[in-house]
Amino acid sequence: MIDFELTPKDQEIINLAREQGKIAQRYASYYDRHEDELPPEQFPEANGLPNPIDLAEEASDSSGARILHSLVMHEIYGAGIALHRSRWGLGNTVLDTVAAPEQIEKWKNHTIAIAITEPGAGSDPANIRTTATFDRETDEWVLNGEKIFISQAESADAAMVFSRFVDANGQRGMTTFLVEKGTPGFTVGPQLRKLGIRSHDTCNLLFENCRIPEFNHIRGDFKSTMSVFNDSRPMVGAMALGVAHAALDFTREMLAKSGIEIDYRGSIRSRSAITDRFLRLEATFEAALLTVLRSKWLEQQDVPPKVEASIAKAAGGKAARKITQGCIELLGPEALAEDHPLDRCFRDGRIFDIYEGAGEIQRLIIARSILDYTSRDLR
Ligand SMILES: Cc1cc2nc3c(=O)[nH]c(=O)nc-3n(C[C@H](O)[C@H](O)[C@H](O)COP(=O)(O)OP(=O)(O)OC[C@H]3O[C@@H](n4cnc5c(N)ncnc54)[C@H](O)[C@@H]3O)c2cc1C
């Protein structure tokens, strides 16, 4: 039987995440305007409080640790509007999933960004042009290429770089390398100016004859490497819904201030148009959150989600766009004022339908699964 029930201890961790998100919320406007400054790992008011993400990861007695983790991210994004700075990067998940034990041991405490996207290679990694050529004389790989829009590029200790390779025997394929900061030939560009999530550091990376020891070659097969997205996509859906949640809360509050209480009783005939529209946005939110919980619940049962991860990502990203825009429509011109939380929710919410696989790509994956098509049949 499907069950999303959490233990009282899990609920305490979620409450802690909400509390810390609310602290971060006080700084959201500042970091939205000062995008060259990275927020601290912990705000002064949160000093001494445990990190809810660490607690969620360590909650071995939880009834649903995977579900708990997404709900913690949901709360942090909901209140803090994407202000959270993580010590964990998606490159860490690749390391844990496919690296050799001695590689995991060496880099387990590093923050590792993931570097896939290139000019002309975003949705389709088959277009990646970064190359790694093996140098027999020095036993090193020589990496050349450019990566764009890389999250945590500045704050991470290393990047997990997706690249084409030509090995010593002339074999070709796609693989990953862990490139540490400070490696000659590896340059991190300046912070990019973005529409939203401006508190996140996002930069381009350049590799120019960058020499990497063979030890840094993460040899896991490419399919397993790509499977990390089955874990991260529902998580991004949860984060998107956090922003949508913040927009709904704020709109409810603003409507109440102008004398409009959202009344959940009665039928469609007795509701005002504004209440009806608000309830429809809430229903969109609830439905999308269920897709996230279902995907994480499957993970919890050791059934790797595939299409369910794409459904959760597509539903979360689309809901964030629809809900933040719908809230602006409900509040009218007032909602468009700069420095208004809704303005930021609207801009932050847009990103979740782009990164970790755009909404259109998730819908392609879902369609292939329903129609039993391969990626060659439907692209
Ligand atoms: C703030 C931010 C942070 C990011 N962080 C990272 C990161 O850490 N690491 C990383 O590697 N990348 C990162 N990205 C890049 C992100 O993953 C890509 O932008 C995304 O995958 C889309 O790729 P693209 O920009 O090349 O667009 P394209 O792939 O060129 O797509 C452009 C548009 O066309 C649509 N489209 C593409 N193909 C199809 C198709 N077959 N059918 C229908 N529609 C299609 C897309 O959905 C999109 O709307 C980040 C991006 C942003 C904005």
Side-chain angles (χ1 to χ4, degrees):
M1 192 187 74
I2 195 158
D3 179 9
F4 304 140
E5 188 83 25
L6 294 171
T7 63
K9 198 171 160 205
D10 292 340
Q11 200 51 56
E12 275 175 33
I13 299 174
I14 292 172
N15 293 344
L16 183 70
R18 190 171 304 150
E19 193 186 334
Q20 294 201 11
K22 288 218 182 295
I23 292 171
Q25 198 169 36
R26 297 176 206 154
Y27 296 87
S29 171
Y30 179 86
Y31 287 102
D32 187 53
R33 287 163 184 267
H34 298 84
E35 46 194 319
D36 288 324
E37 283 180 47
L38 294 187
E41 276 184 22
Q42 221 172 16
F43 291 102
E45 297 91 323
N47 266 345
L49 290 177
N51 182 334
I53 298 176
D54 291 346
L55 292 181
E57 279 171 0
E58 290 156 10
S60 52
D61 54 348
S62 157
S63 55
R66 305 308 304 158
I67 295 177
L68 172 64
H69 197 185
S70 347
L71 289 179
V72 162
M73 294 307 279
H74 172 75
E75 289 299 340
I76 286 179
Y77 272 67
I81 325 282
L83 243 188
H84 169 70
R85 202 175 126 197
S86 181
R87 273 182 285 124
W88 169 92
L90 195 47
N92 291 79
T93 312
V94 173
L95 185 81
D96 287 350
T97 309
V98 293
E102 59 277 16
Q103 293 174 316
I104 297 177
E105 185 55 33
K106 179 167 181 189
W107 293 304
K108 66 181 179 202
N109 294 323
H110 280 50
T111 299
I112 310 169
I114 193 157
I116 305 175
T117 309
E118 298 181 3
S123 300
D124 189 357
N127 294 332
I128 284 178
R129 293 284 165 265
T130 294
T131 52
T133 311
F134 194 69
D135 183 345
R136 280 168 191 268
E137 286 184 11
T138 59
D139 243 11
E140 288 170 323
W141 290 90
V142 184
L143 194 63
N144 278 290
E146 184 188 2
K147 298 288 177 183
I148 56 171
F149 278 105
I150 305 306
S151 302
Q152 296 171 300
E154 192 179 328
S155 55
D157 306 299
M160 190 66 79
V161 181
F162 285 49
S163 168
R164 301 194 160 279
F165 72 90
V166 187
D167 71 11
N169 305 316
Q171 294 268 39
R172 289 163 189 275
M174 195 78 90
T175 193
T176 44
F177 294 93
L178 188 139
V179 188
E180 291 183 80
K181 287 275 182 67
T183 308
F186 173 19
T187 317
V188 178
Q191 285 296 328
L192 299 173
R193 297 276 173 259
K194 306 193 292 286
L195 173 78
I197 60 164
R198 292 180 179 165
S199 62
H200 285 214
D201 72 287
T202 317
C203 313
N204 296 347
L205 309 180
L206 193 62
F207 302 94
E208 292 169 296
N209 293 324
C210 177
R211 290 187 162 266
I212 306 155
E214 167 59 16
F215 184 84
N216 293 33
H217 187 189
I218 310 293
R219 288 179 163 273
D221 82 285
F222 203 64
K223 206 170 166 194
S224 307
T225 304
M226 294 304 277
S227 75
V228 301
F229 290 111
N230 291 337
D231 166 48
S232 65
R233 283 181 175 154
M235 189 75 85
V236 173
M239 285 148 47
L241 291 168
V243 173
H245 199 173
L248 285 169
D249 283 350
F250 183 76
T251 304
R252 193 187 297 102
E253 209 178 288
M254 292 297 281
L255 289 175
K257 275 188 190 158
S258 42
I260 304 164
E261 290 290 344
I262 301 298
D263 189 351
Y264 291 84
R265 292 163 305 169
S267 71
I268 196 164
R269 280 193 292 176
S270 59
R271 265 183 226 143
S272 69
I274 204 154
T275 296
D276 190 61
R277 282 175 74 166
F278 188 85
L279 293 184
R280 282 172 196 272
L281 293 178
E282 278 197 333
T284 302
F285 168 82
E286 298 282 348
L289 191 59
L290 282 174
T291 67
V292 171
L293 295 177
R294 179 169 151 67
S295 182
K296 286 292 163 188
W297 178 82
L298 282 171
E299 238 179 82
Q300 194 72 46
Q301 312 306 308
D302 287 330
V303 180
K306 285 184 185 145
V307 71
E308 293 82 4
S310 289
I311 292 173
K313 167 72 174 61
K318 192 172 177 186
R321 290 174 69 180
K322 184 174 174 185
I323 292 168
T324 53
Q325 185 153 349
C327 288
I328 286 176
E329 283 163 15
L330 288 182
L331 293 186
E334 177 195 6
L336 295 173
E338 204 187 334
D339 217 20
H340 194 293
L342 261 192
D343 160 70
R344 216 170 37 243
C345 289
F346 178 64
R347 289 185 285 107
D348 285 353
R350 181 62 182 91
I351 180 62
F352 300 103
D353 212 20
I354 300 176
Y355 70 0
E356 304 265 336
E360 290 82 358
I361 302 303
Q362 303 314 317
R363 284 185 277 282
L364 265 182
I365 296 172
I366 298 163
R368 281 182 202 134
S369 164
I370 294 171
L371 301 170
D372 205 14
Y373 282 164
T374 65
S375 48
R376 274 169 193 252
D377 297 330
L378 189 64
R379 53 188 152 153

